[in-house]
Amino acid sequence: MNFVGSHILSVDQFSRSDIARIFETADTMLVYAERQRITRILEGAILSNMFFEPSTRTRVSFGSAFNLLGGEVRETTEVRASSLTKGESLEDTARVLSGYSDVIVMRHPQEGSVAEFAAASRVPVINGGDGSNEHPSQALLDLYTIRKEIRTRGAGVDGLRIALVGDLKYGRAVHSLCKLLALYDNIHFSLVAPPGLSAPPAVVSLLEAKGHKVTIHHELERGIHHVDIVYVTRTQEERFASQDEADRYRGLFQLNQAVYTANCEPNTVIMHPLPRDSRSEAQELASDLDANPNLAIFRQADNGVLVRMALFALVLDVADRVDEFSKPVPWHSHR
Ligand code: CP
């Protein structure tokens, strides 16, 4: 694809070579993310970071990524703090904000809302998550992490064995990651969800149509045997029709050190898009795994900054000139 000036709305936009381009660019951002150097390549540029649904990682890492490239960030963090509450349409909001910004990141609870917004925007829009539909930058950082973690073992993404665990019905990160992995060869997907929270049939059909092996499990223990990656997800309680319905699923699957030791291979990498639900009755990814060296969740979150810097650099057409505007950091860095 031609990244320059493009909206990033869905992983459907990417080919394998596009992904390789994003990841090569992300690799070049490490010196800036680690504060070895500063770049001002986006000095004067403005990001509107519009989050109409709660977020910690996506919002702050997109903002940090833009700041690290030298740009300024303007934010809205709630629907009630915007004029959407006064009945303003997404289209009018887009027309106005694109006059104030060079690029917009948007999260919104309705599926398709970010595409609707982008259609009226005069500047590139990046989807920060639209309902249960897609979370493309999360899937990119997940794949970037998978690639990094397994590369140390001499393995590549082709032939990967991955267990996707938890709420596969509403989890947009999983939907996007499945579609991205479907571009590779001979992946074995173990889809592990309680009855009622299985992956959408369209996602399963896509994986099967592309020739991947898909096995469905309703028990955690059997689903996580013989995998390179176990990718755990939170029950997306905010998507359920009622809290009572969501409560029925809380705590059904809990990956902890004992379950990991009994069922996973010794070097199975543990991932989670975060946030994990650490309330005592939930614990889909227990904190007793925090000392496990195969727990990659915080390396995964760190990678989000690199991948989001790469997306900005490619969309704003500065990827090859970032170093020209750089200098060493003048302060003491403890990284
Ligand atoms: N993974 C993720 O999207 O986290 P946030 O909801 O905190 O942005």
Side-chain angles (χ1 to χ4, degrees), residues 88-293:
E88 186 167 45
S89 65
L90 283 173
E91 287 83 353
D92 280 0
T93 307
R95 288 182 193 112
V96 171
L97 288 178
S98 52
Y100 301 160
S101 325
D102 297 279
V103 60
I104 299 170
V105 175
M106 184 176 170
R107 171 175 286 188
H108 193 282
Q110 285 167 7
E111 294 188 16
S113 54
V114 183
E116 189 185 328
F117 179 93
S121 172
R122 285 169 280 133
V123 299
V125 175
I126 301 177
N127 184 356
D130 62 323
S132 299
N133 184 34
E134 280 235 29
H135 195 345
S137 66
Q138 179 70 46
L140 286 168
L141 77 89
D142 290 340
L143 183 55
Y144 185 77
T145 303
I146 289 169
R147 183 173 147 276
K148 255 189 175 171
E149 295 286 328
I150 63 174
R151 194 167 51 190
T152 59
R153 303 165 190 185
V157 177
D158 293 323
L160 183 79
R161 304 166 300 164
I162 183 167
L164 297 161
V165 175
D167 180 355
L168 307 186
K169 179 179 180 182
Y170 295 117
R172 58 191 171 201
V174 165
H175 301 162
S176 291
L177 181 58
C178 283
K179 290 203 268 182
L180 216 48
L181 285 170
L183 294 171
Y184 293 79
D185 296 328
N186 302 318
I187 311 283
H188 180 185
F189 291 89
S190 175
L191 302 180
V192 191
L197 294 185
S198 297
V203 171
V204 178
S205 305
L206 171 82
L207 301 179
E208 290 176 337
K210 298 274 186 187
H212 302 294
K213 185 175 175 195
V214 180
T215 53
I216 309 270
H217 295 276
H218 297 304
E219 288 170 26
L220 174 64
E221 287 76 4
R222 294 184 58 182
I224 58 178
H225 286 172
H226 310 304
V227 293
D228 305 300
I229 307 281
V230 56
Y231 184 104
V232 181
T233 63
R234 176 182 66 91
T235 304
Q236 308 283 301
E237 296 191 3
E238 63 276 26
R239 310 273 176 234
F240 285 77
S242 69
Q243 188 59 48
D244 281 351
E245 194 193 340
D247 287 346
R248 290 208 294 273
Y249 295 101
R250 190 177 293 166
L252 279 186
F253 289 175
Q254 295 182 327
L255 182 63
N256 55 34
Q257 185 61 54
V259 173
Y260 178 89
T261 304
N263 296 284
C264 291
E265 293 180 356
N267 59 358
T268 295
V269 176
I270 307 160
M271 295 177 59
H272 191 306
L274 302 179
R276 57 178 159 172
D277 189 341
S278 294
R279 290 173 287 188
S280 56
E281 65 275 24
Q283 299 268 336
E284 77 274 1
L285 189 61
S287 56
D288 70 354
L289 284 160
D290 287 2
N292 186 322

Side-chain angles (χ1 to χ4, degrees), residues 51 54-59 107 128 135 138 172 273-275:
F51 277 71
S55 170
T56 296
R57 272 146 296 275
T58 312
R59 180 174 62 80
R107 171 175 286 188
H135 195 345
Q138 179 70 46
R172 58 191 171 201
L274 302 179

Side-chain angles (χ1 to χ4, degrees), residues 21-40:
R21 175 91 173 106
I22 295 167
F23 290 175
E24 280 161 18
T25 307
D27 288 343
T28 68
M29 300 299 173
L30 189 61
V31 289
Y32 304 107
E34 288 190 340
R35 314 295 196 276
Q36 293 170 31
R37 294 187 70 77
I38 298 167
T39 179
R40 310 308 299 163

